[in-house]
Amino acid sequence: METAERFRAAVEKRDLAALEDLFTEDVRFYSPVKFTPFEGRPMVLGLFGVLLKVFEDFRYIGDFEGAAETSADGAQAPAEVLLFRAAVEGREIHGIDLLHFDEAGRIKEFTVMVRPQSAVQALGQAVLAGLVADGLA
């Protein structure tokens, strides 16, 4: 099973432990609610612990494969886009997860984009509250 498929299965099952081996040690997570990335596997896994609690009715609805330039070094890397739908505090969210992979197939960069703006605001508030509650912020 490819990394993106394993990632998708873990998220859909809300299996945080299954995500650990999918990320590089120095993974960077670019969020729609924070200007600088979350960095490092422990922080990103902590963030996913919060996200798995915050998202309601989360489901992937499609995917695209290809290659894209990474933010960190500007090099082309294999990439996959996963389209999703979910809700946060009753607000419907449409979004994408952009995964960049290293040579070993692990996720080295992860970017999330969501819409509409009201959902981004609700997501940001819920994630911050979850990070604070879990001692990560």
Side-chain angles (χ1 to χ4, degrees):
M1 184 183 278
E2 291 183 18
T3 303
E5 293 168 350
R6 291 174 50 209
F7 173 82
R8 180 178 179 160
V11 169
E12 289 174 340
K13 293 177 186 172
R14 298 182 179 269
D15 184 356
L16 188 59
L19 292 174
E20 188 168 353
D21 288 337
L22 301 179
F23 296 118
T24 62
E25 272 298 319
D26 60 347
V27 62
R28 297 168 66 102
F29 183 102
Y30 294 91
S31 165
V33 298
K34 185 175 179 275
F35 183 73
T36 59
F38 293 91
E39 297 186 72
R41 186 186 295 156
M43 185 65 203
V44 170
L45 286 172
L47 175 61
F48 267 96
V50 171
L51 291 171
L52 293 176
K53 293 180 224 170
V54 167
F55 281 121
E56 306 155 13
D57 190 29
F58 187 94
R59 64 212 177 274
Y60 284 109
I61 59 170
D63 60 273
F64 298 95
E65 289 184 50
E69 190 175 288
T70 63
S71 297
D73 59 17
Q76 287 282 315
E80 188 153 348
V81 175
L82 302 174
L83 292 79
F84 67 86
R85 300 271 169 100
V88 173
E89 297 179 4
R91 290 185 173 88
E92 183 72 23
I93 291 178
H94 300 185
I96 66 166
D97 290 336
L98 172 58
L99 290 69
H100 285 96
F101 306 101
D102 71 359
E103 307 79 32
R106 287 196 172 145
I107 300 167
K108 69 178 184 175
E109 200 170 280
F110 193 107
T111 302
V112 178
M113 296 180 206
V114 298
R115 65 154 306 276
Q117 182 65 29
S118 61
V120 174
Q121 292 169 340
L123 178 61
Q125 292 169 354
V127 167
L128 179 58
L131 290 171
V132 169
D134 288 356
L136 298 170

